Amino acid sequence: MMWRRMKKLTSGLITTVLSILLVVTAFTVIFHQATDGEPNVFGYQLKTVLSGSMEPEFQTGSIIAIQAKENITEFQKGDIITFHNSDGMVITHRVDEVKDNGAQYVTKGDNNNRADSELVLAESIVGQYTGFTIPYAGYVTQFANSKEGALFLLILPGVILVGYSIINIGRALRQLEASSKQEPEVSNNQ
């Protein structure tokens, strides 16, 4: 009896975990697609670090939180800002020098030997790094946001859940069959 209860509890737990995984994955992929890859959580933008230019502050593949600022001319030397360069790429580097009372900034990656060659205009700034980092989580989000990753992360939990359900249905049918064979046949001859 105890073994059956443990099996039922384990079965229910596995089904619940797989169902939650499927729902969370679907929500994450849909949310990411709906926000054009710019997820916002409580007013913070989450960005994936794609290069090692800011190591050791944060590692390649980390997710960092960026907060938009009202006054984009208030940054000081040492602040870490995220901005669009002239090619439209999003870059996160440290302010190395403030020019024209904050209208322009010279930036530099901590791991780079010299400052960036392009000045950052205040209007190109997306926000400031908040100090919140999740190391290496960006690799997972990058994969999940690819077409292959989205398919894999949506289909795999669904296939596992369906397969597990088929196994459970098969077990239930075998138990019914076994219990019906154990019942003695009732004779109608009286």
Side-chain angles (χ1 to χ4, degrees):
M1 278 302 223
M2 184 65 151
W3 181 247
R4 281 188 182 167
R5 285 185 183 155
M6 289 299 291
K7 282 175 71 174
K8 279 186 177 183
L9 182 63
T10 304
S11 175
L13 185 63
I14 291 172
T15 302
T16 302
V17 168
L18 287 172
S19 298
I20 290 171
L21 179 65
L22 183 62
V23 169
V24 167
T25 304
F27 176 78
T28 302
V29 170
I30 291 168
F31 179 74
H32 184 74
Q33 296 299 324
T35 59
D36 291 328
E38 297 292 336
N40 274 311
V41 179
F42 303 113
Y44 296 94
Q45 291 182 23
L46 302 179
K47 303 286 185 188
T48 301
V49 178
L50 300 176
S51 79
S53 67
M54 284 300 291
E55 291 179 1
E57 183 70 34
F58 35 81
Q59 301 294 317
T60 304
S62 297
I63 291 179
I64 60 173
I66 304 298
Q67 185 176 31
K69 294 288 185 181
E70 293 289 324
N71 186 358
I72 53 177
T73 61
E74 70 180 7
F75 300 109
Q76 301 172 6
K77 182 175 179 162
D79 289 342
I80 299 175
I81 60 173
T82 299
F83 56 91
H84 292 280
N85 70 3
S86 60
D87 295 332
M89 291 178 52
V90 178
I91 299 172
T92 301
H93 279 173
R94 193 176 300 275
V95 174
D96 198 44
E97 185 181 340
V98 179
K99 294 189 171 257
D100 300 328
N101 293 325
Q104 297 178 333
Y105 298 93
V106 175
T107 56
K108 178 183 176 294
D110 290 357
N111 201 24
N112 294 347
N113 293 329
R114 58 179 178 258
D116 299 334
S117 59
E118 191 177 309
L119 287 174
V120 176
L121 302 176
E123 55 267 11
S124 300
I125 296 173
V126 175
Q128 183 176 11
Y129 172 60
T130 63
F132 179 79
T133 304
I134 304 173
Y136 309 111
Y139 290 126
V140 176
T141 60
Q142 288 294 102
F143 176 70
N145 294 325
S146 69
K147 288 182 181 180
E148 298 82 13
L151 283 173
F152 178 76
L153 292 173
L154 284 173
I155 291 173
L156 184 64
V159 167
I160 292 171
L161 189 59
V162 168
Y164 190 69
S165 297
I166 289 170
I167 291 169
N168 281 337
I169 290 169
R171 281 185 195 154
L173 290 174
R174 281 192 300 274
Q175 286 176 350
L176 279 172
E177 192 174 289
S179 66
S180 69
K181 286 181 181 178
Q182 289 177 356
E183 292 178 6
E185 291 186 28
V186 178
S187 168
N188 284 338
N189 297 338
Q190 293 185 12

